[in-house]
Amino acid sequence: MLENLLRERGLTKIWDSSEICSSDEWEKRRSEILKLLCNEEYGFLPCTPDNLSFEVLEQDNKFCAGKVTLNKVSITAQFGNKRFSFPCWTSIPNGNKKYPFFVFINFRGDIPDKYFPTEEICDNGFAILSFCYEDVTSDDNNFSDGIAGVIYGGKDRKDNDCGKISMWSWAASRVMDYAKTLSNLDLTKAFVVGHSRLGKTALLTGALDARFACAISNDSGCSGAAITRGKRGEKIKDIYNSFPYWFCANYKKYMDNEHNLPFDQHFLLAAIAPRKVYVASAKEDLWADPDSEYLSCVAASEVYEKLGFTGFVHPDRLPNVGDVFHKGNIGYHMRDGLHYLSREDWLHFIAYLKKQFKI
Ligand code: GCU
């Protein structure tokens, strides 16, 4: 059944060869895919800073009844004679271990937050490093503030120059740079997470930055996890008209013209392979289109299988509320309810990671 649905959508193949491939061959194809995604959709990321520095601004080692240390840290990137700083918060359990950790791209800096049950995450043995996306650059057409001001400095944006999603993703990688300086984190178990526009950002981050062992997108929808061809709810035309600054200028060529995209969003999921990717959907999130998010997992599975790994383990039907598919390198669940990053979503992410990484 699903094979027919994918055929009807007219998806572009990720890989022409039907044969098993080596990891070197895949890395070559993967870098072509990343170029394509940056060139046509998100824009190329800001250049690497000449220098990075970190400063702990505040510390509370009695957070969560004394179980957790919460620090506020300033991350500063130096580009020639320009500097840019943004705050990040680290919540790390107080035990004597190396903790697996989330880098969480959030809408707010608050801890805990409605999207972010800090104590429960830490009680489950995970640390969490979070930042507020608008501390990196504003969520609007202003390209003169934050990191956008450093990159563009008043210049116009053109063609494949980065949009805001790329900049938020850049910041998630800088948080990973900071994580590398901490001795109580397990760097082999780093997971990037985001919801909605920040779920799109988490997927891009996972694709571009191989230090993340899993990228988790919640309700990321259009230009995130969801297949664009044949998608219901939000289409490229809607998203580009409302949020042109999230993307590069080239993306507008595909408004009402999805069939000419030289890829579809399953390429983004596959670009994370052989590392893991997780897609979470909510039944009533029709704007994001849960069926299209699910079909993307089905289509991306091909790459894992050609590499000799388990891809997406699922039945041959569309998803239902309560489906939890945690057996493969592509993890998935669909819960009831609306567009939201709920505690229920976090508990599924945690269960998947515990199972897959033997945490
Ligand atoms: C809008 C947008 C979505 C996006 C969402 C969000 O609804 O159309 O693409 O995911 O905002 O980020 O909350």
Side-chain angles (χ1 to χ4, degrees):
M1 172 197 180
L2 292 176
E3 216 166 287
N4 288 340
L5 287 180
L6 288 179
R7 199 167 314 119
E8 280 165 22
R9 298 270 183 133
L11 290 188
T12 323
K13 275 194 90 68
I14 300 176
W15 218 331
D16 284 335
S17 147
S18 56
E19 285 167 19
I20 305 264
C21 50
S22 69
S23 58
D24 285 354
E25 286 166 320
W26 170 236
E27 279 310 314
K28 194 161 158 271
R29 178 69 185 127
R30 195 179 147 253
S31 64
E32 289 164 5
I33 290 172
L34 292 175
K35 275 197 199 124
L36 206 52
L37 290 163
C38 290
N39 203 48
E40 302 296 316
E41 186 167 8
Y42 304 104
F44 285 93
L45 285 162
C47 48
T48 320
D50 301 318
N51 185 44
L52 275 180
S53 57
F54 313 104
E55 186 189 355
V56 177
L57 302 176
E58 288 165 26
Q59 179 163 87
D60 174 4
N61 58 14
K62 297 195 168 55
F63 191 55
C64 298
K67 291 178 286 186
V68 173
T69 294
L70 170 63
N71 282 357
K72 180 177 182 184
V73 179
S74 175
I75 299 182
T76 300
Q78 178 103 32
F79 300 86
N81 56 8
K82 292 185 189 163
R83 310 176 96 201
F84 167 68
S85 300
F86 68 100
C88 133
W89 288 264
T90 66
S91 306
I92 307 181
N94 280 333
N96 186 20
K97 269 177 61 177
K98 285 187 179 293
Y99 291 95
F101 63 101
F102 295 103
V103 170
F104 178 43
I105 313 163
N106 198 11
F107 285 87
R108 292 160 294 273
D110 305 345
I111 296 177
D113 175 64
K114 67 173 185 176
Y115 284 163
F116 180 7
T118 325
E119 183 171 356
E120 192 158 18
I121 291 167
C122 292
D123 282 348
N124 271 284
F126 291 77
I128 177 157
L129 282 55
S130 58
F131 67 96
C132 170
Y133 79 134
E134 289 209 275
D135 285 335
V136 175
T137 181
S138 58
D139 189 359
D140 57 22
N141 224 344
N142 177 0
F143 279 83
S144 63
D145 75 312
I147 188 67
V150 174
I151 298 166
Y152 289 106
K155 281 187 292 162
D156 284 344
R157 233 167 38 98
K158 43 185 183 356
D159 307 337
N160 60 12
D161 286 343
C162 66
K164 299 267 169 137
I165 288 179
S166 292
M167 295 185 211
W168 300 322
S169 168
W170 173 86
S173 288
R174 302 297 69 79
V175 173
M176 184 65 198
D177 291 336
Y178 176 59
K180 282 176 67 182
T181 69
L182 301 178
S183 57
N184 50 354
L185 296 179
D186 180 348
L187 298 174
T188 67
K189 299 188 180 78
F191 316 122
V192 58
V193 191
H195 166 63
S196 206
R197 68 200 68 182
L198 304 178
K200 310 180 207 300
T201 309
L203 291 173
L204 181 64
T205 308
L208 291 169
D209 190 337
R211 295 174 298 178
F212 288 104
C214 182
I216 302 174
S217 81
N218 193 72
D219 303 352
S220 62
C222 184
S223 312
I227 292 289
T228 311
R229 286 167 171 79
K231 185 181 178 305
R232 283 177 293 186
E234 186 173 34
K235 310 247 184 336
I236 295 182
K237 185 176 167 193
D238 304 304
I239 203 166
Y240 197 87
N241 278 334
S242 303
F243 309 101
Y245 45 85
W246 287 354
F247 305 98
C248 69
N250 278 343
Y251 200 39
K252 69 169 168 294
K253 293 188 291 198
Y254 304 104
M255 297 206 281
D256 276 335
N257 188 24
E258 280 82 2
H259 285 276
N260 277 324
L261 268 175
F263 58 89
D264 210 310
Q265 292 306 119
H266 59 310
F267 278 51
L268 178 63
L269 302 191
I272 299 166
R275 290 167 294 116
K276 297 178 204 300
V277 55
Y278 195 102
V279 172
S281 295
K283 178 73 183 170
E284 292 176 53
D285 189 7
L286 301 179
W287 189 236
D289 189 5
D291 284 355
S292 293
E293 292 175 330
Y294 180 82
L295 286 176
S296 201
C297 299
V298 176
S301 189
E302 168 204 338
V303 167
Y304 289 90
E305 286 152 26
K306 280 185 183 158
L307 287 166
F309 299 116
T310 313
F312 186 36
V313 181
H314 60 90
D316 189 25
R317 58 158 173 79
L318 286 169
N320 295 321
V321 166
D323 279 343
V324 176
F325 302 134
H326 282 184
K327 289 202 177 129
N329 284 295
I330 302 181
Y332 175 88
H333 74 259
M334 165 133 93
R335 64 159 169 79
D336 210 354
L338 299 170
H339 188 75
Y340 194 88
L341 175 50
S342 76
R343 179 178 164 274
E344 187 180 338
D345 294 312
W346 278 104
L347 293 180
H348 285 305
F349 305 154
I350 286 171
Y352 176 75
L353 296 170
K354 282 187 172 174
K355 181 183 168 91
Q356 291 288 333
F357 291 89
K358 303 186 175 38
I359 294 168

